[in-house]
Amino acid sequence: MMSDTGSRPALAIGADLSAMALLIGAGVIGFGPLYGGNGYLIAGFGGLILGLGLGWLGARFRFGMLTLSAATVAAYLLFGSALAVPMNAIGHVLPSLASLQSLLLGTVQTWKQVLTVSPPVGAIPGTLILPFLAALVCSVTAASLALRLRRPGWAILPAGAVLVVAITFGTGESSFPLVQGVVFAVVAVCWFAWRRASHYTGQFGSDADQTGEASAHRSLRARRAAAAAGVVVAAVVTAVLMQSIVAPADARQILRTAVVPPVDIQNYPSPLQSYRKFVKAGVDPKNVFFSVSGLREGTRIRLATLDSYDGNVYSVAADGGSGAGSFSTVTGGVTAPADPYLTGTGQGTAETITVTVGSLPGVWVPDIGYPTFLSFAGKRARQLTAGLNYNATTGVAISTTGLQPGDRYTVRTIVPAATEASARDTVANVTLPQNQSVPDAVGAFAAAATGSAQTPSARLSALSTALTKKGFFSHGLSGDFTSLPGHGGQRLTRFLGGTQIVGDDEQYAVAMSLMANQLGIPARVVMGFYPKTYAPDRSVAITGADLHAWVEVDFNKLGWVAFNSTPDQNKKPDQQIVKSQTDPRAQVLQPPPAPPVAVSAPNDPATRGGKSTKITTSTIDTVLAALRIGGSGLGILLILLGPALLIALLKARRRRQRAGAARGADRLSGGWDEIVDVALDLGTPLVAGRTRLEGALALAERYPSASIMPVAAIADTGVFGPVEPSAEDTAAFWTQVDLLVKEMHGSASRFRRLKARLSIVTFTARRREATAMRQKKKNGKRRSQ
């Protein structure tokens, strides 16, 4: 069913377009967390305005589907250079070969690019094609349906498709969800109710005036307005209540989480395994790991945040509940944590440091606080950036390319304001991976040290005090007191259960973290650096002497607060006591450092039976990701090709109903209707009220090679004759109809044939005829009464 756009008031058409603009605009705003900045608004609303304009022109001048599609493609290429890929356009406005190439390739590649790059993606060339293309296509479709159909409610579907795209391709963070939901629901309901009321008003308004039923019509209109108002109120109340009730505690499920293959952090050994190696390398003060400028007093440089202990190594859990192992690819700036309490009270200090790499090995990138921007410079900048991965929860960054001497980068970051917790502060309800194979000595020492302490801060203070007072410091280097490396179960048992507690940051930090977790306090180990002296106005050389490990505990409204548990480095153990307790066989019994791939705990169900489930899980994730991508592509194809397929199916269904009518006369009459409809689709309308023979004469002039007159005569004879046509006669008649239709199509150009197959003129014409007939019958009954 089509509406006559030319007969509708300009104000009504403007209301339709305004409603579509609000609905689609609500979806465009949803791209905010994904893109950042305002580039997405220019691209999205630019596509929206273009699409609505094309939809109006198509309805005003009755463009066919092919004509409207061609105009949409032309607008995409002409205006897309300025709105979606301005960096490739001439003067940031005019199309160029580079911008046209980006636009054409972007229709296929942008979807994957947006999903495989860590947000915000607005600064990455080509990514703005997504909001521009989505808004353009959906607004053209929505405007066309709203202006052309007598039942325009279908226009809400393509309008809502923009919101669906923004959600599925976006991030776990929503942009003004309450505003979006309320605006979309209220506008959709109000507009649909208004169009329904307008439809009924236009259908019998004049008759009501003629028959004296104007008061009944006004009453009906009032009831419909009241019902629409009630639905709007219900929609608003429901949206507000649902926002407060079902606000997701966890990140919503989006394509990004399934498509982006996360970095398997367990492919990189925990740097804590190499703690003593770092220490030995730092014996020479000339061996500078890296230099940092802009480092303020008291700021700690983080190398890695570790949250999982398996009895041998403290490492990063690949999929632990703390999110420490969730790294995502970064090609531009990195994203600060959305939760303000991760950065203290949200009043952290903004700082900028520049790091120049020296002899520091590995993939771990030193940084501070929670970076909001990290940019490499120098010859390897592009290579390092391509391998940069970032964890927004912990602020840790790695570059899978690996750091080399001379690499340089700048970090803009937020350093948390909170530095210590008080007795009134409570620990946060954060989930950490379950520690495995923790030695009994850890729990025994924790119980003895905390005693009657009740609050988390009091217990942590008791643990720190016990370790620093009872313990002694030694790296176990040449000429130093004996202190074995490592932090496995046997090493911790000897560390806490011996006559004297001797070790360095590696053992003390791991021991305190395990004790805190045993007491129900969420704690993790951080390995990093902080120098003995700070010089914010100049570059500071960081060596092995500045290497440290400490404990962090998560407090409500404070974030992760650092705790030290290592004695002063000048506090040395009694050498004779150490000798009497040292077992020479300890070196043999001490297990070697774990291999680069983290060792699973003995009772880890993932390794029972000698078979790992990791490959199976990865394979399933890959298959699911492929299915989701395929489904997204199929959905896009359905949006683009769906109308054509629907028209073809409706025409095939109409032909089957005509050829399979119960009465033979109806089958013959339907065959002639099929010929008339084909002629109308091909651009040869017949004057209403003509007989079949008169119509056949008109068609014979247009299609002289087709045998139209005999077919019309057969139809007239069968319909008006005294004998009901047999099934054989009607089957033979439909064979002639099909041949005649084929000849009529063959006489037209290829473009005209394609346009005819996609035309919906016949549906609207038949609908108007049926409506006119029903209205005529109603008028006749009223006059007879």
Side-chain angles (χ1 to χ4, degrees):
M1 297 181 298
M2 301 267 299
S3 65
D4 188 359
T5 304
S7 64
R8 296 184 64 215
L11 186 60
I13 296 175
D16 288 341
L17 295 178
S18 299
M20 295 302 104
L22 289 174
L23 294 177
I24 297 174
V28 171
I29 294 175
F31 286 104
L34 173 63
Y35 282 90
N38 56 14
Y40 77 97
L41 293 174
I42 298 174
F45 282 102
L48 169 60
I49 295 172
L50 282 175
L52 294 179
L54 288 173
W56 175 78
L57 288 174
R60 177 67 179 82
F61 297 102
R62 295 187 177 277
F63 290 166
M65 179 174 294
L66 290 180
T67 304
L68 185 59
S69 299
T72 303
V73 173
Y76 172 73
L77 296 176
L78 182 61
F79 295 95
S81 298
L83 297 173
V85 287
M87 297 302 296
N88 295 335
I90 300 174
H92 297 281
V93 175
L94 299 178
S96 65
L97 290 178
S99 67
L100 293 177
Q101 182 182 19
S102 298
L103 289 170
L104 292 173
L105 294 177
T107 57
V108 178
Q109 298 177 351
T110 299
W111 316 92
K112 176 183 177 182
Q113 185 181 19
V114 169
L115 288 176
T116 54
V117 174
S118 180
V121 303
I124 302 173
T127 55
L128 290 175
I129 292 176
L130 174 59
F132 174 68
L133 182 60
L136 176 63
V137 173
C138 291
S139 57
V140 168
T141 307
S144 300
L145 295 178
L147 296 178
R148 297 190 183 204
L149 294 183
R150 290 187 183 275
R151 295 181 178 176
W154 294 104
I156 297 176
L157 294 181
V162 178
L163 186 59
V164 173
V165 171
I167 293 174
T168 55
F169 282 83
T171 66
E173 178 186 358
S174 55
S175 176
F176 306 106
L178 181 59
V179 176
Q180 284 180 290
V182 170
V183 168
F184 194 93
V186 170
V187 173
V189 171
C190 289
W191 174 76
F192 182 71
W194 170 71
R195 283 302 305 267
R196 290 278 293 175
S198 300
H199 169 74
Y200 283 104
T201 300
Q203 182 177 355
F204 56 81
S206 59
D207 292 332
D209 295 337
Q210 295 173 3
T211 61
E213 296 181 3
S215 60
H217 172 59
R218 287 193 297 270
S219 177
L220 176 61
R221 184 169 56 186
R223 289 197 302 270
R224 291 186 177 277
V231 173
V232 170
V233 172
V236 174
V237 173
T238 301
V240 174
L241 291 177
M242 291 301 292
Q243 170 67 16
S244 60
I245 294 174
V246 302
D250 300 324
R252 58 187 178 186
Q253 295 300 315
I254 54 177
L255 289 177
R256 177 178 308 278
T257 58
V259 173
V260 179
V263 172
D264 189 352
I265 196 63
Q266 292 189 341
N267 287 335
Y268 306 98
S270 169
L272 198 60
Q273 293 179 247
S274 305
Y275 190 90
R276 288 290 175 88
K277 181 179 178 181
F278 279 93
V279 171
K280 291 178 180 178
V283 171
D284 183 1
K286 296 181 180 180
N287 184 13
V288 177
F289 288 165
F290 58 90
S291 299
V292 56
S293 60
L295 190 66
R296 295 187 181 183
E297 186 75 26
T299 303
R300 301 188 181 208
I301 304 171
R302 176 183 46 245
L303 187 66
T305 298
L306 314 171
D307 66 342
S308 175
Y309 184 76
D310 63 3
N312 290 304
V313 179
Y314 221 122
S315 60
V316 181
D319 54 357
S322 67
S326 302
F327 286 78
S328 57
T329 305
V330 176
T331 59
V334 298
T335 306
D339 190 343
Y341 105 90
L342 288 173
T343 55
T345 60
Q347 300 175 354
T349 305
E351 298 187 18
T352 301
I353 63 170
T354 300
V355 177
T356 302
V357 179
S359 62
L360 180 70
V363 300
W364 303 87
V365 179
D367 62 30
I368 62 174
Y370 292 89
T372 58
F373 178 80
L374 194 156
S375 176
F376 288 99
K379 296 181 180 180
R380 301 180 68 241
R382 179 174 298 181
Q383 182 181 0
L384 288 166
T385 301
L388 183 62
N389 289 266
Y390 178 70
N391 185 301
T393 302
T394 61
V396 175
I398 65 171
S399 179
T400 55
T401 306
L403 299 178
Q404 293 182 7
D407 292 337
R408 188 173 72 257
Y409 58 93
T410 299
V411 181
R412 291 200 297 267
T413 184
I414 301 172
V415 177
T419 57
E420 60 183 18
S422 67
R424 297 186 303 272
D425 294 319
T426 58
V427 295
N429 184 20
V430 61
T431 302
L432 292 175
Q434 184 67 38
N435 294 323
Q436 304 291 332
S437 303
V438 178
D440 295 337
V442 171
F445 189 97
T450 55
S452 60
Q454 298 296 322
T455 66
S457 58
R459 291 183 175 184
L460 291 168
S461 178
L463 291 176
S464 177
T465 300
L467 289 171
T468 54
K469 284 187 175 182
K470 295 181 179 180
F472 298 91
F473 187 90
S474 174
H475 281 311
L477 301 179
S478 177
D480 205 347
F481 296 99
T482 302
S483 174
L484 300 177
H487 52 275
Q490 291 188 17
R491 177 67 181 95
L492 292 181
T493 298
R494 294 182 59 83
F495 173 72
L496 296 173
T499 306
Q500 286 184 317
I501 301 176
V502 182
D504 55 16
D505 289 43
E506 178 185 3
Q507 290 79 40
Y508 283 103
V510 171
M512 181 172 175
S513 178
L514 293 178
M515 292 178 193
N517 283 303
Q518 291 280 86
L519 298 173
I521 301 173
R524 63 191 187 188
V525 174
V526 180
M527 179 176 168
F529 306 86
Y530 49 87
K532 294 181 176 62
T533 57
Y534 289 83
D537 55 341
R538 61 181 176 83
S539 179
V540 176
I542 303 298
T543 67
D546 302 311
L547 177 66
H548 295 281
W550 60 90
V551 176
E552 287 186 347
V553 177
D554 196 7
F555 282 88
N556 286 316
K557 300 181 180 181
L558 295 179
W560 293 90
V561 178
F563 288 85
N564 291 326
S565 57
T566 307
D568 188 272
Q569 294 191 14
N570 295 323
K571 187 180 181 183
K572 301 298 182 181
D574 187 309
Q575 186 174 10
Q576 293 183 352
I577 298 178
V578 173
K579 273 187 177 182
S580 64
Q581 69 155 11
T582 301
D583 186 352
R585 293 176 297 173
Q587 290 284 2
V588 179
L589 295 175
Q590 174 68 23
V597 178
V599 180
S600 300
N603 59 350
D604 188 349
T607 58
R608 288 174 183 166
K611 180 182 285 188
S612 174
T613 60
K614 185 176 182 179
I615 296 178
T616 303
T617 304
S618 176
T619 303
I620 293 174
D621 291 342
T622 303
V623 172
L624 291 176
L627 291 175
R628 291 188 180 97
I629 295 174
S632 301
L634 180 61
I636 294 170
L637 289 177
L638 287 177
I639 292 175
L640 297 177
L641 303 179
L645 294 175
L646 179 61
I647 293 171
L649 291 174
L650 289 175
K651 288 187 175 182
R653 176 175 173 269
R654 182 178 63 185
R655 185 199 177 281
R656 287 196 303 271
Q657 290 177 339
R658 288 170 171 174
R663 296 177 61 246
D666 292 338
R667 291 195 291 272
L668 295 179
S669 178
W672 177 254
D673 290 341
E674 189 75 13
I675 295 172
V676 172
D677 286 345
V678 170
L680 183 59
D681 285 337
L682 290 171
T684 310
L686 297 179
V687 178
R690 285 188 175 186
T691 65
R692 288 190 182 88
L693 292 180
E694 290 173 341
L697 287 173
L699 292 178
E701 294 179 2
R702 174 65 179 80
Y703 307 100
S705 61
S707 302
I708 297 178
M709 294 298 297
V711 173
I714 293 173
D716 268 350
T717 302
V719 172
F720 300 110
V723 180
E724 182 73 15
S726 65
E728 292 78 8
D729 293 338
T730 56
F733 175 78
W734 269 96
T735 301
Q736 291 181 278
V737 170
D738 291 338
L739 292 174
L740 183 57
V741 168
K742 186 176 181 181
E743 291 181 17
M744 294 170 68
H745 276 289
S747 64
S749 65
R750 181 177 300 177
F751 177 78
R752 172 60 67 182
R753 291 198 302 270
L754 182 58
K755 185 177 180 181
R757 295 187 187 280
L758 299 178
S759 174
I760 60 173
V761 170
T762 55
F763 290 103
T764 59
R766 297 290 179 185
R767 183 65 179 179
R768 283 196 297 269
E769 290 178 6
T771 302
M773 290 296 295
R774 288 195 301 269
Q775 195 63 46
K776 188 175 180 180
K777 291 181 180 179
K778 289 180 180 179
N779 294 340
K781 290 181 179 179
R782 289 171 181 170
R783 292 189 183 96
S784 64
Q785 293 175 355

